[in-house]
Amino acid sequence: MVCRSPVELSRLRDANRLVGRILDGLRRAVAPGVTTAELDALAEEQIRAAGAVPAFKGYRGYPATICASVNEEVVHGIPSGRALGEGDIVSIDLGVRLEGFYGDSAVTVPVGAVSERAAALIRVTEESLWKAIAIVRAGARVSDIGHAVQTHVEAHGFSVVREFVGHGIGAALHEEPQVPNFGEPGRGPRLAEGMVLAIEPMVNMGRPEIRIQRDGWTAVAKDGSLSAHFEHTVAVTADGAEVLSLPPGDGRPGPSGVAAGGARTGLQPARS
Ligand code: MF3
Ligand code: CO
């Protein structure tokens, strides 16, 4: 586990802010009739225009720039000509490499009007990410993150996917430590100032089990229930977390934990 120097942190800030900006544009582009391949093309174009490189494309043979996971798809859905339909939910995961450093973030977006249950799943999953971010500070334990996610998710009757975890991130997309979204608090390594983590809860409406489809990538909820995914890359500070993957001008947590304000509308985390 690496603590980043100020120069490395500033590179990670740039890569992740780019991810935040592009992801925010993709979120706004989601509408009935739009295909996930169109979102993928938009993402790749903007990444390359910024002088960056898609981080997922070619990673272990992954064929696209974004992961686009619709409805019961949990993560790693491959973009296709499938058009999104009113009432669907779509999880968009985006990674870039810029100047040798990685950015990684994901959101789940409603397509048009969705059911109340689907909206609740999205809201609770995003809230669980912010509950986790709220416990990040130097001296906290890695397992406190998963505990915060699991506690919030299960209090709302949803379930945490176990097969995939968050991760350290820096000069590689996946670094130590693994960051599970479940478990007992107070275990595992302590967080230290300058560590950078991608925290990414995946939450199913029904049972937590998943299976991988025959394309070798797409993870789906075994019981066919809806699934949501949110991810932010955060830097550990002495007294909180700096969320690196927010779009510019977002106004949410800066260097000292959960900030006041937040001018953005839409998928706003509850700060309870
Ligand atoms: N955010 C996911 C992760 O960090 C996305 C990886 S997709 C892959 O694991 F194609 F790169 F595997
Ligand atoms: Co990730």
Side-chain angles (χ1 to χ4, degrees):
M1 280 194 304
V2 201
C3 295
R4 300 290 162 187
S5 71
V7 173
E8 292 172 322
L9 270 178
S10 99
R11 294 253 163 89
L12 282 159
R13 229 174 249 126
D14 291 343
N16 279 284
R17 199 177 292 131
L18 177 65
V19 168
R21 173 166 72 75
I22 296 174
L23 201 53
D24 197 49
L26 295 175
R27 182 173 69 75
R28 294 164 198 274
V30 166
V34 171
T35 71
T36 52
E38 286 166 349
L39 296 173
D40 190 70
L42 186 64
E44 179 162 10
E45 199 179 292
Q46 295 187 353
I47 289 167
R48 297 204 189 274
V53 176
F56 301 165
K57 206 171 199 173
Y59 181 89
R60 299 188 182 191
Y62 186 74
T65 293
I66 62 170
C67 302
S69 309
V70 182
N71 294 336
E72 76 283 1
E73 296 173 355
V74 178
V75 286
H76 303 166
I78 300 172
S80 75
R82 167 183 183 171
L84 297 170
E86 176 102 19
D88 286 344
I89 65 173
V90 59
S91 302
I92 305 173
D93 193 345
L94 177 67
V96 308
R97 188 177 72 246
L98 178 65
E99 308 275 347
F101 286 85
Y102 283 83
D104 191 9
S105 183
V107 291
T108 299
V109 187
V111 183
V114 302
S115 72
E116 229 168 88
R117 289 273 291 161
L121 176 72
I122 292 173
R123 179 177 53 78
V124 167
T125 305
E126 186 170 22
E127 283 170 357
S128 76
L129 171 57
W130 286 95
K131 298 268 184 196
I133 290 169
I135 68 90
V136 169
R137 53 162 52 229
R141 304 290 195 103
V142 168
S143 76
D144 298 344
I145 294 172
H147 184 71
V149 170
Q150 183 178 18
T151 301
H152 189 64
V153 165
E154 292 181 353
H156 289 267
F158 301 133
S159 64
V160 170
V161 171
R162 312 294 207 261
E163 282 83 352
F164 300 100
V165 296
H167 49 95
I169 177 171
L173 177 61
H174 295 141
E175 297 187 353
E176 291 300 313
Q178 295 198 355
V179 184
N181 295 300
F182 61 96
E184 297 300 319
R187 313 272 165 90
R190 284 188 193 279
L191 303 180
E193 200 171 347
M195 282 181 186
V196 177
L197 304 173
I199 304 175
E200 48 179 320
M202 290 144 270
V203 176
N204 291 352
M205 189 176 279
R207 294 198 49 82
E209 293 81 11
I210 60 135
R211 65 183 170 76
I212 307 294
Q213 281 183 338
R214 282 224 283 269
D215 61 19
W217 280 103
T218 313
V220 298
K222 230 180 204 170
D223 66 3
S225 68
L226 294 180
S227 188
H229 177 212
F230 280 85
E231 175 176 24
H232 271 307
T233 295
V234 308
V236 179
T237 67
D239 57 356
E242 179 184 352
V243 183
L244 304 183
S245 49
L246 291 171
D250 183 282
R252 274 185 289 176
S256 51
V258 178
R264 203 177 74 163
T265 55
L267 290 171
Q268 191 79 355
R271 252 180 246 97
S272 54

